[in-house]
Amino acid sequence: MSLSLSVKRIEETCIAGSTVAGSFVISAKENGRGVARLSFILRCSHRRISLSETDYNGPLPDDGITICYEISSYGFDPGTIYKGSISVVSDQGEDRIPVTLSVIRDEIKSSRGPVRNLFHFANLAKEDFEEATGLFYTEDARRIFEEGERDTLFKYRAFRSCSGRGKGYEGVEEFLVETGKKTPVLLNFAEGSVMEKDIYDDREITVTVRKSGWGYPGFRLSCTDDFIELERTEYTHADF
């Protein structure tokens, strides 16, 4: 006679304050063939592990008996590792399933997936700088950086206070540059110079500003000559 369990151990990860669920199968064989009937009792080491069935006595299906479990992380802080067990006592033998539950923080989600660290945040900024900026100034953003180096959190606090004319884009740009996750955006004129001759009335002249790399290229234009009037003086990433 031989009791058989579909899993040797249960290892789950769960967000603090929630539950995680799964299942395993109980079966048994005698002389290499499935037994006709099975009787068993299940016991959990703690009430935070709940089972769909705790005892059975009846026919054994060919595919065994599926037991669903649910493990609760309520009352645990992030970082907690809970260890428990599920014991099986049957007329075909006994066995024990070790249970490990790792409790984590609630993930910060974005349109590109979860943002767990500085690397994920930099990737989000590269794909959608505006979304990354919105996240940067939320209360949850601190959790992204406090798990890393202390210097990163210090820089985050410093640049989070930046909310200038670029709606906070500048703070994110400078933070990513200071943490080494991107190079500064460089701007230059496509035209080396512009020359106009025989001007007797107003004339519109267009010049092109180019940027290198990705990020926030907000800038201001100014002119030292009174005879030149600029259409605009302030530009943001949306103008590129």
Side-chain angles (χ1 to χ4, degrees):
M1 294 184 294
S2 176
L3 178 69
S4 177
L5 303 177
S6 63
V7 298
K8 294 185 178 298
R9 63 183 59 84
I10 294 174
E11 296 177 342
E12 298 283 6
T13 300
C14 185
I15 296 172
S18 62
T19 60
V20 63
S23 64
F24 60 91
V25 177
I26 299 176
S27 58
K29 291 183 179 181
E30 185 175 3
N31 298 324
R33 302 177 61 183
V35 299
R37 297 180 63 85
L38 181 66
S39 175
F40 63 79
I41 297 175
L42 300 177
R43 292 290 181 265
C44 300
S45 60
H46 195 280
R47 60 185 180 184
R48 69 174 55 254
I49 305 174
S50 59
L51 304 173
S52 57
E53 291 188 61
T54 56
D55 59 81
Y56 182 81
N57 185 12
L60 179 62
D62 292 339
D63 56 354
I65 298 174
T66 299
I67 304 297
C68 297
Y69 64 81
E70 185 175 83
I71 310 172
S72 169
S73 68
Y74 287 94
F76 284 152
D77 294 326
T80 299
I81 297 179
Y82 165 76
K83 293 183 179 295
S85 63
I86 300 172
S87 299
V88 185
V89 179
S90 76
D91 57 0
Q92 302 295 319
E94 299 181 6
D95 208 341
R96 176 177 172 275
I97 304 174
V99 176
T100 301
L101 178 68
S102 299
V103 184
I104 62 174
R105 292 182 183 275
D106 188 8
E107 289 186 330
I108 299 175
K109 298 179 175 59
S110 74
S111 61
R112 267 65 177 182
V115 182
R116 302 188 182 98
N117 50 44
L118 177 58
F119 177 77
H120 292 160
F121 180 78
N123 284 341
L124 174 63
K126 187 174 183 179
E127 297 295 326
D128 191 331
F129 204 85
E130 188 164 349
E131 182 180 0
T133 299
L135 174 59
F136 189 79
Y137 292 97
T138 65
E139 293 301 321
D140 290 336
R142 174 191 170 94
R143 290 165 28 206
I144 300 173
F145 310 114
E146 66 184 3
E147 299 294 338
E149 297 181 3
R150 184 176 180 181
D151 185 54
T152 299
L153 182 58
F154 175 79
K155 290 176 180 177
Y156 165 70
R157 289 171 174 170
F159 288 109
R160 192 178 189 276
S161 62
C162 298
S163 57
R165 59 182 180 277
K167 297 181 179 178
Y169 299 131
E170 291 172 323
V172 178
E173 170 74 17
E174 294 176 16
F175 169 75
L176 290 172
V177 171
E178 284 296 318
T179 53
K181 292 305 177 184
K182 71 180 300 295
T183 57
V185 175
L186 300 179
L187 304 174
N188 61 16
F189 286 106
E191 301 82 1
S193 63
V194 177
M195 180 176 292
E196 295 288 337
K197 295 182 178 180
D198 302 326
I199 299 177
Y200 300 102
D201 54 9
D202 293 344
R203 183 175 299 182
E204 184 176 294
I205 300 173
T206 301
V207 295
T208 302
V209 177
R210 299 180 302 194
K211 76 180 182 76
S212 65
W214 60 273
Y216 174 71
F219 65 94
R220 286 182 176 180
L221 285 179
S222 62
C223 184
T224 58
D225 297 298
D226 295 337
F227 64 88
I228 298 177
E229 182 179 343
L230 299 175
E231 181 182 40
R232 292 167 56 190
T233 58
E234 294 192 11
Y235 294 81
T236 71
H237 70 291
D239 294 302
F240 286 85

